[in-house]
Every structure is written in structure tokens, then in C-alpha cells.
Amino acid sequence: MAGADGCPQGWVVARVQGRRLLGIEVVAAAELPTTGAFVCIDIPIGLPERGRRTLESQVRARLPGRGSTVFPTPVRPILDAPGYWEANVLSRELCDGRGISQQTWHITPRIAEIDALLAADPALDERVAEAHPELAFTTMNGGVPPVSKHTAAGLAQRRALLAAWLGEAVVAALPARLGTARADDVLDAVAVAWVAQRWAGGRAEVFQDPECPRDGTGRPMRILC
């Protein structure tokens, strides 16, 4: 099983088996370990043609005070926009006047990478799914969202939560940086690997809109935890 979180260099990937961390590295999208493994990725998977997914509001309801960490998923036509201005115009046309944030625009290339990867092999829909690190850490913490990961206290809290799963020595040995990946990227990758482990064991919670479970390409729209 594996978890992946985007970073400037590519994707931080944490591989796990049971309560063991098998390895952590930075790879390109084409090198994600999708063969025979359950993989959870911190990126939107399953894109609406217009409007908003309900998944984000479902997850935000579980993150009191931390809902801003869940960005709206862009509509699929934005993947072809040449720049932020054009993407913002498209979003306003297709999302009832709502534009796209700079933060969402900046992760659009990563969304497109995973979308292309899944389009090339539809069978991956059964083994690759979206997960959200803040939701994972909140679930580990008994439903209480941790403090911001951009603080020393927040990073320490996340390490402690992961240590309850993998052991203190393993978590203490996690790199503070891994190429261009920061400490929070590394911890987020391990957190969504925890979700992949739950998914493989049939224990994952699935957030999905029963009225719109798939996007226009047939890809599942869901967030796992």
C-alpha cells in the first residue's frame, strides 16, 4: 500500500505494509507504485464538468476550524486553460459565478498528471483513490482536527499520531526534507498511506455523492479516510 502527496519535484510516496513503513521517496507521476497496490493520493480525482462536487463540503464538516484546508475541485475544462486568467473565466462560467483560487490553480498541473495516469489505465480506478491528510490526521486524533501543520506544534502533533501506528523510532527517522519535499509533505504522504492501508483492509470510510458518484469520464468521485 502507498500514499502520495504532491511536492515541487513530483510526488512524495510512502510505502507501507501493516504497521511497517517500507520506504519513502520522491518520484514522478509515471513512477507511482500502482501495480498491485492500493494507493491513496492527496489530489482531486474525478472532476465535474460544471458546478461543485459535494465531497468537499462533506469533508469540511468533519474538520471544524480547518475547513479552509480543503480546496474546491476545479471543473475538468480548466485542465486545458493556458493560464490563471482563462481558468478563472471558465470557472465563473461553469460554477455559477465562482472563480478559481490561486491555490487551486497551482495544483492543477498535479491534478492533470493523475487524471492522465488514470485515463491511460481505467483498471486503476479500483486501486487508486483520493484522500485528504487533514481528514486522516483528524480521524487518527479521535475526530479532533490537529493544529496547523505550518507550526512546530502541528508537526509534532502529526508525528505523535503517526508514531501510534508505526512506532516512535520510525517516525523520528522520517526526513525533515526529501528533495524539494518539506516535512509536512512527508507526513502527509504517510498519513494518506494510512488511509490506503485502511482501504486495503476494508476499513476505509468513503465520502461520495450518491446522486453523482462518477464524473463524466466514468471515474469515481470519492474521498477515502
Side-chain angles (χ1 to χ4, degrees):
M1 273 52 72
D5 185 71
C7 68
Q9 193 177 344
W11 297 90
V12 187
V13 174
R15 294 177 174 85
V16 299
Q17 183 174 8
R19 300 174 72 90
R20 292 190 299 135
L21 178 65
L22 302 181
I24 189 160
E25 61 182 331
V26 176
V27 304
E31 299 169 326
L32 287 169
T34 56
T35 303
F38 288 91
V39 183
C40 283
I41 305 179
D42 177 21
I43 204 72
I45 295 174
L47 308 177
E49 296 297 329
R50 62 186 310 118
R52 298 287 196 212
R53 306 192 308 181
T54 65
L55 302 181
E56 281 75 17
S57 60
Q58 293 178 39
V59 171
R60 288 189 193 105
R62 296 283 288 273
L63 300 174
R66 303 291 298 151
S68 62
T69 64
V70 184
F71 300 159
T73 292
V75 290
R76 180 171 294 282
I78 281 176
L79 297 186
D80 297 321
Y84 175 70
W85 186 88
E86 292 86 353
N88 202 36
V89 170
L90 270 174
S91 182
R92 292 187 184 283
E93 290 176 353
L94 298 173
C95 296
D96 300 321
R98 291 172 291 190
I100 180 174
S101 69
Q102 288 280 1
Q103 294 98 322
T104 300
W105 172 247
H106 287 153
I107 67 170
T108 299
R110 291 283 179 257
I111 297 173
E113 279 187 342
I114 299 303
D115 190 66
L117 179 73
L118 298 177
D121 185 358
L124 293 179
D125 288 337
E126 303 303 317
R127 300 196 307 275
V128 178
E130 177 181 351
H132 197 286
E134 288 297 298
L135 181 60
F137 282 120
T138 296
T139 303
M140 292 180 206
N141 200 36
V144 180
V147 298
S148 172
K149 67 181 182 181
H150 301 298
T151 66
L155 292 176
Q157 188 177 13
R158 285 161 174 75
R159 290 190 183 99
L161 291 168
L162 293 176
W165 169 40
L166 297 172
E168 292 185 7
V170 170
V171 175
L174 289 173
R177 291 194 70 90
L178 192 63
T180 58
R182 304 181 307 266
D184 59 294
D185 298 322
V186 171
L187 298 176
D188 283 353
V190 180
V192 292
W194 176 80
V195 178
Q197 185 74 49
R198 282 162 57 88
W199 187 22
R203 302 186 305 278
E205 184 176 1
V206 181
F207 294 81
Q208 197 162 34
D209 182 350
E211 295 184 2
C212 189
R214 294 178 181 268
D215 70 7
T217 70
R219 185 158 303 128
M221 293 196 290
R222 62 193 173 191
I223 295 175
L224 304 189
C225 184

